[in-house]
């Protein structure tokens, strides 16, 4: 094995525990989209399924992958589908995020024609579950907050559809300045103002653990909201760290579950352990004289005679081309600078200062070796991006190895 990622499932479990300590009784919607941020959706989901209330993914395919792996927990597909994908929502019992009536109608029609999951439970088809996304300022998906209440009433009037949640997404919770997040929160909270008919205050339910009463939706008698299943949620990783007022009934941790803080501007209010290490091996070594160029287009020229190691990883594996001449690797516990252009399948580093480097030596590009550590944040900063992007960019050739128990 010449390039691999070691994923410590114990770290992920420990991060989840720490998140739960922080958010109290709120439900956990563990976000495992994009192959669990490159960590492997199935092993990650299996490792935490018993401690989690729901999973969230980004596509129906990701949801189906989890179902086919035997995950039986509710799975929320966070992003809109097109009407012709409604059938899969029913077939795999996915909870679908919605913000367009036409999609809701398609899901409702499909549900009406589907056979009920539990025989004899209900006549006239199955029940599809949806969460309504409210756009409070992200301007990506969601129904505009000013139209959300009338939208909810329309959706709730559709047969064979059950609204099991309402959520919003913050655009800037990872910044020091929380004013925009607070504005988004205010817009979200305006949905349950008494004059709009949501009257949660009448039910003596606290805002921070709010449940919208079924009566608020004037539901047709055939459809009911199970209050215990109904979730209001908003908090992504940065909001979980810094804004308890956003917790509502459930939180949606993604990055922090995998052990990284979303930015330098969020507090370290939850102890996290990075779960992923990226490793490769030295596959070639050579001595070069001063003035030699290394790799494509001669972007690095040696300043003295030295020793160059070739590593078996490249941009096809997710090691960014922007790390040319600035990336670092840990070899024998020491830092070795990446020199020259990053190739598709290889990178070179200068190991002239490290004694006894040998062919086959283990090399760490993200993670610990000896007393030193290269964090995903360090790599991301040098590459001009964020750790999310580095993780999601890890390629298929990077074998995932799991440490558990
Ligand atoms: C990705 C995503 C999350 C998780 O975000 P993190 O910052 O990784 O916690 C939560 N909600 C939605 C809608 C998302 O798209």
């Amino acid at each position: 094995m010449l390039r691999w990622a070691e994923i410590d499932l114990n770290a992920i479990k420990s991060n989840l525990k720490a998140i739960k300590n922080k958010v109290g009784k709120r439900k956990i919607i563990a976000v495992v989209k994009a192959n669990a941020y490159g960590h492997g959706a199935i092993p990650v989901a299996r490792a935490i399924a018993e401690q989690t209330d729901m999973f969230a993914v980004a596509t129906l395919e990701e949801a189906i992958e989890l179902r086919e792996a035997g995950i039986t927990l509710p799975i929320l597909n966070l992003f809109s589908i097109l009407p012709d994908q409604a059938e899969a929502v029913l077939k795999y019992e996915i909870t679908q995020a919605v913000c367009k009536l036409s999609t809701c109608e398609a899901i409702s029609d499909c549900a009406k024609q589907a056979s009920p999951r539990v025989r004899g439970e209900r006549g006239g088809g199955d029940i599809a579950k949806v969460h309504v996304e409210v756009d409070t300022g992200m301007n990506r998906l969601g129904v505009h907050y000013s139209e959300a209440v009338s939208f909810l009433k329309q959706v709730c009037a559709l047969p064979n559809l059950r609204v099991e949640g309402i959520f919003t997404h913050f655009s800037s919770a990872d910044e020091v300045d929380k004013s925009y997040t607070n504005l988004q929160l205010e817009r979200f909270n305006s949905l349950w103002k008494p004059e709009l008919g949501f009257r949660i205050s009448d039910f003596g339910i606290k805002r921070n653990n709010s449940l919208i009463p079924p009566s608020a939706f004037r539901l047709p008698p055939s459809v009911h909201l199970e209050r215990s299943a109904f979730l209001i949620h908003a908090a992504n990783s940065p909001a979980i760290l810094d804004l308890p007022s956003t917790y509502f009934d459930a939180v949606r941790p993604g990055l922090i579950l995998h052990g990284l803080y979303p930015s330098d501007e969020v507090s370290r209010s939850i102890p996290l352990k990075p779960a992923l290490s990226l490793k490769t091996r030295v596959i070639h070594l050579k001595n070069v004289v001063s003035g030699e160029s290394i790799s494509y287009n001669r972007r690095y020229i040696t300043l003295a005679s030295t020793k160059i190691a070739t590593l078996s990883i490249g941009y096809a594996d997710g090691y960014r081309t922007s790390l040319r001449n600035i990336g670092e690797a840990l070899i024998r516990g020491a830092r070795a600078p990446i020199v020259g252009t990053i190739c598709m399948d290889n990178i070179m580093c200068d190991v002239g200062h490290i004694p006894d480097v040998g062919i086959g030596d283990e090399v760490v590009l993200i993670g610990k070796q000896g007393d030193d550590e290269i964090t995903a944040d360090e790599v991301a900063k040098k590459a001009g991006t964020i750790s999310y992007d580095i993780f999601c960019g890890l390629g298929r050739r990077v074998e995932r190895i799991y440490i558990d128990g």
Side-chain angles (χ1 to χ4, degrees):
M1 202 165 36
L2 295 180
R3 47 180 88 70
W4 70 101
E6 263 167 36
I7 290 123
D8 183 357
L9 296 172
N10 299 309
I12 293 176
K13 288 178 201 169
S14 150
N15 296 332
L16 177 57
K17 208 171 188 182
I19 294 164
K20 287 176 125 179
N21 275 341
K22 176 87 174 171
V23 304
K25 289 197 164 54
R26 274 72 171 212
K27 296 223 154 97
I28 302 287
I29 303 173
V31 181
V32 293
K33 61 187 179 184
N35 200 25
Y37 296 57
H39 292 57
I42 293 170
V44 168
R46 282 186 180 146
I48 58 172
E50 278 176 22
Q51 307 302 321
T52 305
D53 301 288
M54 189 174 206
F55 288 112
V57 295
T59 69
L60 276 182
E61 290 74 15
E62 289 178 349
I64 292 166
E65 185 190 17
L66 290 179
R67 280 282 179 260
E68 291 187 333
I71 297 290
T72 56
L73 278 184
I75 300 173
L76 172 64
N77 180 22
L78 291 165
F79 300 112
S80 290
I81 55 166
L82 295 176
D84 66 0
Q85 295 177 291
E87 222 168 293
V89 169
L90 270 296
K91 182 173 173 200
Y92 292 93
E93 213 179 334
I94 311 302
T95 307
Q96 179 59 47
V98 292
C99 60
K100 266 190 89 69
L101 198 60
S102 54
T103 306
C104 295
E105 285 165 349
I107 297 173
S108 166
D109 285 347
C110 260
K112 224 184 321 179
Q113 285 154 27
S115 45
R117 215 156 287 279
V118 181
R119 202 186 297 273
E121 186 192 22
R122 300 181 183 89
D126 202 353
I127 301 284
K129 298 166 194 167
V130 298
H131 284 203
V132 170
E133 180 171 6
V134 177
D135 188 356
T136 56
M138 172 74 178
N139 282 307
R140 180 172 68 180
L141 287 165
V143 56
H144 192 265
Y145 63 97
S146 65
E147 290 156 11
V149 172
S150 65
F151 178 78
L152 277 161
K153 285 175 181 165
Q154 283 174 296
V155 177
C156 286
L158 293 172
N160 300 69
L161 200 70
R162 189 153 68 207
V163 177
E164 284 202 343
I166 299 179
F167 71 102
T168 194
H169 190 55
F170 297 123
S171 74
S172 312
D174 60 341
E175 296 172 14
V176 170
D177 181 353
K178 305 293 186 207
S179 53
Y180 194 69
T181 310
N182 284 326
L183 176 65
Q184 286 194 269
L185 183 61
E186 208 174 287
R187 288 168 173 172
F188 194 50
N189 277 329
S190 74
L191 296 185
W192 15 98
K193 276 187 185 149
E195 57 270 30
L196 292 174
F198 280 66
R199 310 186 75 85
I200 46 173
S201 52
D202 291 359
F203 291 76
I205 297 161
K206 278 199 236 82
R207 174 64 53 89
N208 267 351
N209 190 20
S210 51
L211 290 166
I212 295 178
S215 59
F217 293 106
R218 292 189 214 110
L219 298 173
S222 61
V223 181
H224 61 283
L225 281 173
E226 285 171 23
R227 292 178 61 151
S228 60
F230 192 86
L231 300 176
I232 298 173
H233 49 103
N236 53 355
S237 290
I240 294 168
L241 289 165
D242 287 328
L243 293 161
S245 57
T246 65
Y247 291 173
F248 297 97
D249 302 323
V251 295
R252 301 192 306 268
L255 189 72
I256 56 173
L257 188 61
H258 301 90
L260 274 285
Y261 296 96
S263 74
D264 288 342
E265 300 185 19
V266 297
S267 76
R268 270 50 183 161
S269 64
I270 297 176
L272 298 177
K273 294 181 188 166
L276 183 143
S277 307
L278 179 64
K279 300 187 178 180
T280 182
R281 290 193 193 278
V282 174
I283 55 165
H284 189 66
L285 276 169
K286 67 179 161 302
N287 295 311
V288 294
V289 296
S290 179
E292 278 289 329
S293 62
I294 311 291
S295 194
Y296 287 120
N297 306 112
R298 314 189 66 209
R299 304 294 170 148
Y300 186 84
I301 308 289
T302 54
L303 295 169
S305 63
T306 188
K307 187 176 269 188
I308 300 292
T310 303
L311 312 181
S312 185
I313 196 164
Y315 64 75
D317 304 299
Y319 200 83
R320 297 309 166 85
T321 54
S322 50
L323 292 163
R324 172 216 325 161
N325 291 344
I326 52 171
E328 286 184 307
L330 295 172
I331 304 179
R332 300 211 164 224
R335 286 200 176 224
I338 307 293
V339 292
T341 303
I342 310 297
C343 307
M344 184 188 285
D345 314 294
N346 299 285
I347 54 184
M348 275 64 87
C349 57
D350 188 330
V351 293
H353 58 298
I354 309 173
D356 302 327
V357 175
I359 304 264
D361 278 3
E362 186 170 300
V363 180
V364 172
L365 295 166
I366 298 173
K368 290 182 184 157
Q369 195 188 62
D371 299 328
D372 206 351
E373 178 177 10
I374 296 174
T375 65
D377 281 324
E378 178 186 332
V379 173
K381 270 195 198 116
K382 283 185 177 164
T385 184
I386 50 177
S387 61
Y388 294 77
D389 185 18
I390 296 293
F391 285 147
C392 294
L394 294 177
R396 278 204 318 176
R397 299 195 307 205
V398 179
E399 199 168 327
R400 270 67 166 177
I401 305 292
Y402 293 92
I403 300 162
D404 199 3

